[in-house]
Amino acid sequence: MAADVLNEGKKVAILIGQGAAHAVDEVVQVAETLGAGVAKALLGREVLPDDLPFVTGPIGLLGSKASDEMVMNCDTLFMIGTSFPYAEWLPDEGSVRGVQIDIDGRMIGIRYPMEAHVVGDAKESLKALLPLLDPKQDRSWREKIEKDVRTWDRILEDRAAQHFDGVVNPQTVAAELSPRLPEGCILTADSGSATNWWARYLKLRKGMRASLSGTLATMGPGVPYAIGARFAFPDRPVIAFVGDGAFQMNGMAEMITVKRYADRLGGSPPLVFCVFNNQDLNQVTWEQRAMGGDPKFPGSQDIPDVPYARYAELLGLRGIYCDQQDKVGAAWDRALAGETPVVLEFKVDREIPPIPPHIMYEQGKKAAKAAVRDPELAGMAVRGFRQKLAEFYEQLPGRDQAAR
């Protein structure tokens, strides 16, 4: 039944999660056979490298436009080892056919009504499925997916290049790190607006690992995850992305843990805690605007400006501070070159919007309502317009050929 559904589909979209981690070769073979693209839930980021041309990247609110275009326009959805919970980022119920593989039978069909249910290990199930699949001769769907990936990459590049009055664009922080990622590095992320940039901009290569609080989306795990990763893999570079809210909540205290075990956590390769200082519980601020139609309430959203880099130095660790857009790359070079654990603090623009892949009508209406009374209205309007303009420009006819 599963093979029949997939063979009959003309536009197959694959969505993978952490359950596909040991089925890398099989996922690639299935995607090639079916002429499909592969989107990744955040906990499945490390399963496939991002330099494969048919990998569309993350999906959902923090996801890519390429993933959104593929999933919303497919005729067959194939979920492998994922319990991705956000139904609003999946096709409308009943609009496409579905196949799902999951080792836990309780997870089958709870996110989308599937036609074919396969309960089993992803690797073994795909091995059994592959001989039954017919190679797609028409590759136009795959070609469109790869074109959308290239377009999205250019949109990200354009957005990261923007800055306003020289204030560091948080997207630039991630964009500058991506080509500098050390081989075999382990990446962790906390929950917050920085997670958007971690998900979209960091292009994982083969052998890299990445994780975050994907099933809870809770604040606080970014720094402990990084410390745990370093203990488990002392010979691998570890880099954490943390918002200032989470760093104040428990990250600063955990720097004392790093100090205590400096003999085991220090040395080469680097251990970097990258802190996005915007003095705002930024993700919640943007969610309240879009979900509740509420303007920012400084009394609950503003947080103190703490000198995180200097705090690290007080403990005997390294501290690096950057508040200039044109110095971001140099700051990363310094952080990655040291042998002492480092807190890399960027003073970033909090008015850069984490624009979703598509803006739903209700969210747009509520965001507009909130903006009328928002204390940061002027900055939001200018930055939001410029960010969306980059998307419009890169989707103009002929841009893909010109870029190539």
Side-chain angles (χ1 to χ4, degrees):
M1 170 64 84
D4 292 339
V5 173
L6 294 171
N7 285 333
E8 291 167 14
K10 300 186 185 311
K11 298 187 291 184
V12 180
I14 298 175
L15 172 58
I16 61 173
Q18 60 181 335
H22 302 295
V24 175
D25 293 340
E26 290 75 17
V27 170
V28 170
Q29 290 177 51
V30 168
E32 294 286 12
T33 301
L34 297 175
V38 182
K40 302 188 286 187
L42 288 185
L43 283 175
R45 283 215 65 199
E46 67 178 46
V47 176
L48 291 186
D50 290 302
D51 51 12
L52 294 174
F54 56 86
V55 171
T56 61
I59 185 176
L61 187 68
L62 282 61
S64 75
K65 183 77 171 177
S67 292
D68 191 58
E69 286 288 323
M70 177 182 70
V71 170
M72 292 303 177
N73 292 289
C74 71
D75 62 15
T76 308
L77 177 64
F78 188 12
M79 296 177 65
I80 305 171
T82 178
S83 60
F84 178 74
Y86 304 106
E88 64 269 31
W89 298 99
L90 297 177
D92 292 337
E93 286 193 16
S95 64
V96 307
R97 305 179 75 180
V99 176
Q100 184 175 0
I101 296 175
D102 204 289
I103 200 166
D104 186 349
R106 296 171 300 175
M107 304 307 297
I108 296 287
I110 68 169
R111 308 306 188 194
Y112 191 85
M114 295 295 174
E115 190 171 340
H117 307 158
V118 180
V119 179
D121 174 77
K123 186 180 184 72
E124 297 306 317
S125 298
L126 290 175
K127 279 184 176 180
L129 183 63
L130 270 164
L132 307 176
L133 297 180
D134 300 328
K136 304 289 186 194
Q137 301 304 315
D138 182 355
R139 309 301 282 189
S140 58
W141 172 243
R142 165 64 78 82
E143 290 167 1
K144 180 186 183 304
I145 290 168
E146 294 185 1
K147 179 182 177 182
D148 287 344
V149 170
R150 294 192 297 268
T151 299
W152 177 247
D153 286 343
R154 294 197 306 273
I155 290 170
L156 292 180
E157 184 179 350
D158 292 346
R159 287 179 177 176
Q162 296 175 2
H163 64 89
F164 303 86
D165 301 320
V167 181
V168 174
N169 181 340
Q171 295 166 114
T172 308
V173 174
E176 288 287 345
L177 170 62
S178 190
R180 293 175 166 85
L181 287 172
E183 294 298 325
C185 66
I186 301 174
L187 305 170
T188 72
D190 218 290
S191 296
S193 61
T195 320
N196 290 275
W197 324 133
W198 182 90
R200 293 178 177 178
Y201 279 91
L202 298 185
K203 304 297 185 182
L204 273 64
R205 303 189 301 276
K206 188 175 181 179
M208 295 181 178
R209 304 198 64 182
S211 193
L212 75 172
S213 179
T215 53
L216 290 177
T218 186
M219 290 172 63
V223 170
Y225 278 21
I227 293 173
R230 183 54 163 234
F231 274 126
F233 302 98
D235 58 339
R236 300 181 71 165
V238 179
I239 304 168
F241 267 36
V242 191
D244 50 359
F247 203 66
Q248 287 186 20
M249 186 168 71
N250 69 341
M252 295 181 71
E254 289 301 332
M255 290 303 100
I256 300 174
T257 304
V258 175
K259 171 65 176 178
R260 177 180 180 181
Y261 297 105
D263 58 330
R264 296 171 61 186
L265 297 174
S268 182
L271 172 59
V272 181
F273 302 93
C274 175
V275 181
F276 290 72
N277 181 354
N278 55 24
Q279 297 175 250
D280 183 39
L281 296 176
N282 201 237
Q283 186 72 7
V284 175
T285 294
W286 286 104
E287 285 179 348
Q288 288 179 340
R289 287 165 174 157
M291 305 297 185
D294 297 323
K296 176 179 175 176
F297 178 56
S300 66
Q301 296 308 110
D302 285 349
I303 60 175
D305 185 12
V306 175
Y308 306 106
R310 282 192 286 155
Y311 171 75
E313 292 173 346
L314 180 67
L315 292 176
L317 308 175
R318 289 179 70 211
I320 299 172
Y321 176 81
C322 178
D323 62 357
Q324 299 177 58
Q325 175 79 4
D326 60 353
K327 303 294 185 184
V328 172
W332 273 117
D333 289 337
R334 290 174 59 200
L336 294 170
E339 295 192 358
T340 302
V342 58
V343 171
L344 175 58
E345 176 187 356
F346 289 101
K347 187 78 169 182
V348 298
D349 191 338
R350 65 187 180 189
E351 295 172 7
I352 298 291
I355 299 173
H358 71 257
I359 298 175
M360 299 173 186
Y361 173 73
E362 281 300 317
Q363 291 180 0
K365 186 169 70 172
K366 289 178 179 178
K369 174 186 173 184
V372 172
R373 297 174 288 133
D374 202 283
E376 297 174 357
L377 170 60
M380 288 169 52
V382 171
R383 289 156 175 76
F385 176 75
R386 286 270 302 278
Q387 293 277 291
K388 284 300 289 182
L389 192 62
E391 182 177 329
F392 171 76
Y393 173 69
E394 290 299 347
Q395 291 177 332
L396 290 174
R399 281 291 300 152
D400 185 61
Q401 290 301 319
R404 296 174 73 185

